Structures are given as structure tokens and as C-alpha cells.
Amino acid sequence: LKVSTGCHSYQEFVTKLPSGLVIASLENYSPASRIGVFVKAGCRYESLENQGVTHLLRLAANLTTKGASAFRICRGVEAVGGSLGVTSSRENMMYSVDCLRDHIDTVMEYLINVTTAPEFRPWEVSDLTPRVRVDKALAAQNPQVGVIEALHEAAYKNALSNSLFCPDYMVGHVNADHMHNFIENNFTSARMALVGLGVDHRVLKQVGEQFLNIRSGVGATGSKAQYRGGEVREHNGSSLVHSAVVSEGAAVGTDEAMAFSVLQHILGAGPHIKRGSNSTSKLTQGIAKATADPFDASAFNANYSDSGLFGIYTISQSAAAGDVINAAIGQVKAAAGGVSEADLTCAKTQLKAEYLMSLESSEGLLDAMGSQALAGGTYHTPEAVLQKIDSVSATSVANAAKKFVLGKKSMASSGNLIKTPFVDEI
Amino acid sequence: MMSLAARSGAFSPYLQATSYAVAGPLKALIPAVVVKGDKVLVDTKKPFLTRESLNGQSPKSGPAVSVSINAKAGVRFAHTDVKVPDFSDYRRPELLDPNKSSQESSESRKAFSYLVTGATAVVGVYTAKTVAAQFVSSMSASADVLAMSKIEVKLSEIPEGKNMTFKWRGKPLFIRHRSAKEIAAEEAVEMAEFRDPQHDKDRVTNPKWIIVIGVCTHLGYVPIANAGDYGGYYCPCHGSHYDASGRIRKGPAPLNLEVPYYEFPDEDTVVVG
């Protein structure tokens, strides 16, 4: 496990092959390497006939492929102490392997097998049904997941309204054909990126040219997400009301998206220290004036390739839900009227810190590199991103807040909704 | 995944819903679900009661879901879908009701079980002993060899007063059909006259038949029947005289003729040996 101890240059290399495949790598001289295959094949690309196929694909990462059986994959990965996993969001799917630098060829073989040559044997696919149920039950343990899925369903007419989890009526009915067709249509070279940390760029390029050039073209183009602005309410017995109110935000990579991110941090994007009263969060300060009961609130910001969502997410006691939500919206309206320089600087610093800290772990760095490779085919250095953050002005932040206030709102709530207002009552 | 410049950070662990193929060694266990047959039981009783416990629970962006080999493990709870079969067909009647205490029936159950076990053990020991003995005794002399050690003689072929000689176990066997006069004479002799005193009654089972081994007790020659001074046998080699009961009367032989073991299975037959 020899790593050179001389002066290291941390240089990213990005190559775009003629087929459209993007290969990016960064030699970080770490003893553990990490490789990811990113595909623009998130659940937004599911059609109405194969809802839930990405959930099954996520669970099928360890099934038999043409080059290796399920047992071999599992044992091979464990034998070198690595891990093979797949993470999927609405836009992208990321298949990643990590292990010690010396064994990276072994796990790379499994990664290529899983992404390019899965067999989806019918009995193995049908064995996934109990795992789908367990997955859904695990997700249902957190009301947050349910509310966010409902929010997307309410906010969009198509594409982005698809859920990350298989709908109930499709559990047990997604079969190998659906999965093969989805792979054929979406796992094409033009929509894939091969990213590596701690690997040689030439090796990665060779692997990309040899193995990942199998399906050319763009495949089936997904439909453009259409924002509609609706409401989903789930009334149940929980004493805590989870509620999200959003309106259409900005697409990824635009200046507006950066303004929304800064606005998110002005309003409050999570505790930055372990205990305390969240004094920098405008939402928390505003809501604390409206209720004495425990609550939590955060600005919600999601950016997708052609659309986005921005708003607030609140957790409150059921009796105080209305006050909390209205107080939170009031704070956003106040921000629309103008933000002070102090707040702006504070928010920018928090955003910069959050971004840089996310790059400190290899998972975060791989994620960032892969998302950028898929989105634009390039890699923006952290310095470039920090400059972009700095260039956000107070007016753009205020305009972003205005866009939320004036835009058509979508809402999703769950809990005891006695005192929770409807979206048109806010 | 999420926006380029903002991700859900470490404070919102609830945005990653995860599921697992293989339990990993280093990652922490997260609360999981119990799978019972087709139902999945979920325990959502975790309370969020204070501002501090609620702090950071709100998500900041859309979720991403991860599945992994070697990740946080929840899968080990899922094997409770193993169905335990119904054993009612095999249970004792007094134990069928799971809500009733089994103490009352415990004595009778134990007594029965121990009795049956004890009896089986005893029978088993005897069986084992028999089997072992049979195997060991198979090494003893076989039937044909044993058969060669016996001789069966038809007594009706021996007329009165006649002595017949048979080869038995390599030695001559004398069977003499004695007349009543001879019997009376042999029984009347005084004990003091004998070198090897033995009453006739002690040498015969049925006085009519005297059965002796025809080997002279002096040096092992074969005496002649119906010869000698005493109406019995005479050994010509060294001059030993035996009477009709095979006892030595005169001559160098020290002992009476040996009487072998014999029995009369019926009136007409004798089996010697």
C-alpha cells in the first residue's frame, strides 16, 4: 500500500469521451479508493407503467450479473473489505464501491458487472419483494420521508412527482422485464459518468472506454417536470405535525439556485452546534415568538435539473401548527422585504462551511464530483464554488424570497391536522 | 444528488432511508422493523418531546436513498418471518392449552416417562448382553464338531449278556447288556475287596446296561470283553481283570474303568457324551 510521500498535487482530471461518457478522477493519495458510476436514471425517469422500478433496481445491485453471481459479488466484496452500494435520488443513481487501493480492480470488476450486465433472474427479482416491504416500512418510520414524498407528488404533475419508493400497488408486480427495459432506455453512455477517488485517471479512462460504452445515444429522454402546486394532507394520530410549504425554486447550477441556497441559510438550515437556541436562524427566532411549545423549523431547498423547490419545513405540536406555519411564512416575507448585510455575510459563511465540510468525506466528495460531471461534464473546484457564493447579492436573495411569496404554493402535512391550515389559507 | 452547493448535512439522518443486503461490521445498528410472515411491524414509539430532541429534525432538502452491501445493518431483524410449526398433534393432552400451568400434570408425566425409559433401558441391557454373548459364543465349537463328541446307540440291538464295542471320541466304548444274575452278583460284592471301591449303583444309571470306556487304567490298552476271572473284562497286556461292572479286581491297573456321561432319551436309546 505504497503512497508517495513527496509533494502531492491534487489535480482533478475530467475527460469526456465521444460517446458522451464523462470520466473524472482525483488522486487524493488516500489508502482507500472510491469509484462511482453515476447515471441520470433517478425515479423521475420512471413512466406510469413502471413506477417503482428504480426502487427495485436499488435493491438489485447485488443480484447475479453476467460475469459474477450474487454470491460471488457479496463474497468478493466482503473478502477485500470493501462495500458496494447504490444511492438514488430523484435525478441520479450512484453505484459506488470503496475498498483499499490495492484491491480496487476486484471491486471495479463487480461494479462494471452490476451497472452494465445485470441478469435480473426472475426468481431473484421476486425475492426482492419482502425487501421492498421492509424498505418501505423503514422509510415510514420517519414522517419526514413521507411528507417529502407527498410534497413532490403534490407539487409536480409528472417526472419529479414519482416517489423514491415503490408504490403499494406495484409491490410484487415489478418484474425483470421492467428492469431490463429501464436499463436499456436510461443507462446509456451519454447519461453516465465514471468518477474515481484515489485511482489513476488512465486506468479509469481505459475501463470507461472498454466497458461503459455499451449503450450509445441518450436513450429515452425524460419529460420536463411541470410544477402544478397542490396539497396532500395525511391526517393521523401523531401529536407532532410535520408540514412543508414550498413554491417553485431554481434549477441546479443557476445563479438563482445559489441565491436560494443563501436565503435558505439566512432563514435557517439546521443547527450548527449541538445545543443552543439556534440564534442565527430567523425561522426559529420568529416561531419562538409565536409559540412556547417545542418545535423545529428549517428552510427547504431542493434543486433538480429543470426545476426546484424552495420553502419551509416545520415540525410542531398539533395545537400550535397553524401559528408555527404562519410565523415561518412571515419570516420569509420579511426576508423578501430585504436582508441586512450582517445576515447575508453570516449566511454565506455558513453555506461555504457546509459545502466545504461536505467535501471533507470521500462520500461527499465523490457525490459532488459525480453530480457535477453528470450535470455539466466538468468539475468546479471548491474555490470556484466559494467565489460563486460570494457573488450573491442582497437583492438576488430578496428576489428569491419574493419568488417564494408570490409563487403558487404546494403543501404536504402529516399528523393531527386539526389546527393545520390549508395551502390557500396561509 | 441534491443541489450542488447545499446538501442535507449530518444533523438530518432521517433523509437517508437505507436497506441492506449484508450486515456490515463497523457501522452502527439502526432501529429496524420486524417482519412477521407477510406483515412488517414497525415501532415508531420514539418520542420527540423537547425542543432539544426536536432540534435538527427538519429536512433541508430532498432525500436520497441508499442500499448497500456492508452498510448499516437492520437486516438481522428480518429473519423472524420463520414460521414455527404447530406441534399440537404431538403434544400430550394436558399440555395443549398454553395458558394452563403444567405443574399439576408434571408428576404423572415424569413418572410415565421415567418408567418407560427405565424399562427400555433394562430390556436394552439384556438385549445387548444376549447379542454380545451370541457373537462371542459363535467362536466356540460348531455343531458338527459337538456332534462328533456324542454317540447314540440303539440298545435293542444288544442282546443280553453281550458286550458291544463302539468307537467314541477315538476310544473304544463298551456297552454290555447285563443279565439279572450278573447285576445281583455285582451289587453283592463287599467294598473291602476293591482296590478302587465303588458300588455298582454308583457306576450305572440303569443296572441293565453297563457303559464304560474300554481303556485299561494301567497303561491304556484295550481289555477283552467276556474274559477274565470275574465275568467282565480282561486286559491281556499286563493281566488286569475287571468285573461286569468294570471295576478292577486283579492285576496292575489302579482304577476302575471310566464311566462316561450318558443318558437314556428313551427306553431303547442311549446317548453317550
Side-chain angles (χ1 to χ4, degrees):
Chain A
L1 203 47
K2 285 204 170 59
V3 177
S4 80
T5 49
C7 179
H8 300 155
S9 68
Y10 294 85
Q11 168 94 50
E12 312 84 22
F13 295 99
V14 181
T15 321
K16 189 161 179 167
L17 297 183
S19 62
L21 179 71
V22 178
I23 304 181
S25 76
L26 169 66
E27 179 59 88
N28 58 0
Y29 302 101
S30 157
S33 303
R34 195 180 271 269
I35 301 185
V37 172
F38 290 77
V39 193
K40 273 188 197 162
C43 62
R44 70 173 290 167
Y45 296 101
E46 285 175 3
S47 71
L48 282 169
E49 289 88 29
N50 62 5
Q51 296 273 306
V53 68
T54 47
H55 191 177
L56 270 282
L57 277 175
R58 205 161 58 226
L59 293 174
N62 64 324
L63 295 189
T64 304
T65 64
K66 288 198 179 62
S69 69
F71 172 72
R72 181 159 166 225
I73 293 175
C74 183
R75 200 205 169 268
V77 167
E78 289 223 295
V80 297
S83 84
L84 163 69
V86 52
T87 305
S88 68
S89 71
R90 293 194 140 77
E91 292 274 350
N92 305 323
M93 279 187 92
M94 167 179 85
Y95 290 82
S96 72
V97 288
D98 67 333
C99 71
L100 288 180
R101 181 179 279 268
D102 299 338
H103 305 125
I104 202 66
D105 341 311
T106 324
V107 291
M108 182 123 68
E109 179 203 335
Y110 298 129
L111 177 66
I112 300 298
N113 264 307
V114 165
T115 44
T116 58
E119 280 190 3
F120 299 135
R121 295 183 172 174
W123 56 93
E124 289 185 343
V125 171
S126 60
D127 276 347
L128 292 176
T129 310
R131 286 177 65 192
V132 171
R133 291 206 183 94
V134 172
D135 236 10
K136 285 170 63 87
L138 277 171
Q141 281 187 318
N142 302 314
Q144 288 90 335
V145 175
V147 167
I148 306 247
E149 297 301 294
L151 181 71
H152 282 84
E153 198 191 314
Y156 289 99
K157 287 187 187 173
N158 59 356
L160 289 171
S161 68
N162 293 335
S163 171
L164 284 167
F165 298 95
C166 186
D168 283 333
Y169 74 93
M170 285 299 279
V171 173
H173 295 105
V174 179
N175 56 29
D177 292 326
H178 290 133
M179 295 161 82
H180 276 299
N181 285 335
F182 189 84
I183 299 252
E184 283 298 312
N185 292 332
N186 295 289
F187 279 53
T188 57
S189 309
R191 286 160 66 171
M192 290 167 82
L194 177 62
V195 185
L197 286 179
V199 284
D200 194 354
H201 192 73
R202 287 168 302 220
V203 169
L204 215 56
K205 197 157 165 251
Q206 203 177 2
V207 167
E209 280 165 355
Q210 224 175 330
F211 297 108
L212 288 177
N213 264 339
I214 28 104
R215 275 177 221 100
S216 55
V218 275
T221 49
S223 37
K224 181 161 167 28
Q226 291 166 302
Y227 182 86
R228 68 175 167 107
E231 182 178 10
V232 171
R233 291 166 75 91
E234 188 200 321
H235 185 89
N236 56 37
S238 167
S239 62
L240 284 178
V241 169
H242 290 246
S243 176
V245 181
V246 296
S247 86
E248 198 175 9
V252 127
T254 58
D255 293 331
E256 212 188 349
M258 207 51 87
F260 271 114
S261 299
V262 175
L263 177 61
Q264 185 188 19
H265 279 81
I266 291 180
L267 290 171
H272 300 282
I273 51 177
K274 203 164 177 182
R275 286 177 234 279
S277 60
N278 278 339
S279 54
T280 56
S281 163
K282 290 239 174 308
L283 284 176
T284 314
Q285 300 306 310
I287 297 173
K289 296 194 186 88
T291 176
D293 295 328
F295 67 91
D296 189 55
S298 162
F300 184 88
N301 181 24
N303 302 96
Y304 302 110
S305 56
D306 54 359
S307 178
L309 292 176
F310 182 84
I312 48 125
Y313 189 103
T314 56
I315 307 177
S316 49
Q317 309 300 317
S318 51
D323 303 326
V324 167
I325 295 175
N326 285 320
I329 302 284
Q331 284 299 311
V332 189
K333 286 185 181 148
V339 292
S340 68
E341 274 306 312
D343 290 335
L344 189 65
T345 331
C346 178
K348 281 185 190 172
T349 318
Q350 284 174 347
L351 178 57
K352 284 187 223 171
E354 191 185 307
Y355 178 67
L356 289 175
M357 283 191 226
S358 77
L359 297 182
E360 283 189 346
S361 75
S362 59
E363 294 111 336
L365 182 55
L366 188 79
D367 196 8
M369 284 179 72
S371 310
Q372 291 182 24
L374 273 187
T378 55
Y379 174 67
H380 305 282
T381 57
E383 293 80 11
V385 174
L386 293 186
Q387 263 188 328
K388 263 191 102 180
I389 296 175
D390 269 327
S391 66
V392 171
S393 68
T395 33
S396 48
V397 171
N399 289 338
K402 271 196 204 90
K403 189 175 175 192
F404 168 77
V405 174
L406 299 172
K408 184 151 191 253
K409 300 209 178 31
S410 313
M411 185 169 173
S413 321
S414 100
N416 186 342
L417 301 180
I418 283 184
K419 287 284 173 64
T420 308
F422 286 79
V423 68
D424 49 353
E425 293 168 3
I426 297 177
Chain B
M1 305 281 115
M2 294 118 242
S3 94
L4 281 178
R7 315 177 69 235
S8 49
F11 289 116
S12 53
Y14 298 93
L15 289 194
Q16 291 254 323
T18 335
S19 105
Y20 333 93
V22 173
L26 294 175
K27 310 288 177 79
L29 287 176
I30 68 167
V33 296
V34 171
V35 179
K36 227 178 160 168
D38 288 329
K39 291 179 139 190
V40 184
L41 309 175
V42 170
D43 181 14
T44 51
K45 290 202 288 288
K46 187 173 175 192
F48 291 106
L49 300 170
T50 64
R51 185 162 297 178
E52 180 156 327
S53 57
L54 269 181
N55 206 8
Q57 296 294 315
S58 304
K60 287 158 257 315
S61 185
V65 188
S66 291
V67 179
S68 177
I69 295 175
N70 256 330
K72 289 180 270 243
V75 71
R76 64 178 63 179
F77 292 95
H79 66 273
T80 48
D81 57 350
V82 172
K83 289 183 182 47
V84 177
D86 178 27
F87 291 117
S88 322
D89 294 338
Y90 306 97
R91 284 195 195 276
R92 288 182 154 119
E94 55 264 20
L95 296 178
L96 277 175
D97 184 1
N99 300 317
K100 239 181 67 172
S101 163
S102 61
Q103 279 302 103
E104 300 111 44
S105 59
S106 68
E107 276 194 42
S108 64
R109 282 187 286 120
K110 275 187 216 161
F112 176 76
S113 295
Y114 292 153
L115 200 64
V116 169
T117 311
T120 313
V122 168
V123 169
V125 166
Y126 270 110
T127 314
K129 172 215 164 222
T130 310
V131 168
Q134 280 171 351
F135 276 106
V136 169
S137 68
S138 73
M139 293 196 288
S140 60
S142 60
D144 62 340
V145 168
L146 286 174
M148 285 202 300
S149 72
K150 287 193 168 71
I151 185 171
E152 193 180 304
V153 179
K154 228 164 154 203
L155 294 170
S156 53
E157 289 172 4
I158 308 176
E160 201 174 284
K162 182 115 186 327
N163 181 83
M164 279 200 80
T165 313
F166 302 93
K167 184 173 175 206
W168 174 71
R169 292 187 186 176
K171 295 181 285 232
L173 181 76
F174 294 152
I175 299 183
R176 190 188 171 128
H177 187 174
R178 295 197 299 195
S179 60
K181 203 164 65 91
E182 284 173 341
I183 298 166
E186 296 304 330
E187 283 180 357
V189 183
E190 295 276 337
M191 284 294 116
E193 286 200 27
F194 293 115
R195 190 172 299 160
D196 180 13
Q198 226 182 349
H199 200 277
D200 185 61
K201 279 203 271 291
D202 300 329
R203 292 177 56 81
V204 293
T205 319
N206 180 349
K208 259 186 22 177
W209 303 97
I210 179 76
I211 300 170
V212 290
I213 295 179
V215 170
C216 181
T217 51
H218 176 232
L219 286 176
Y221 290 94
V222 181
I224 303 169
N226 284 331
D229 295 339
Y230 295 85
Y233 306 92
Y234 171 70
C235 181
C237 311
H238 304 99
S240 300
H241 298 258
Y242 298 89
D243 63 12
S245 185
R247 294 174 287 199
I248 182 69
R249 300 298 282 278
K250 195 156 80 168
L255 300 168
N256 299 336
L257 291 177
E258 189 188 333
V259 178
Y261 175 77
Y262 59 87
E263 51 188 26
F264 293 92
D266 57 57
E267 263 309 309
D268 205 25
T269 336
V270 65
V271 174
V272 183

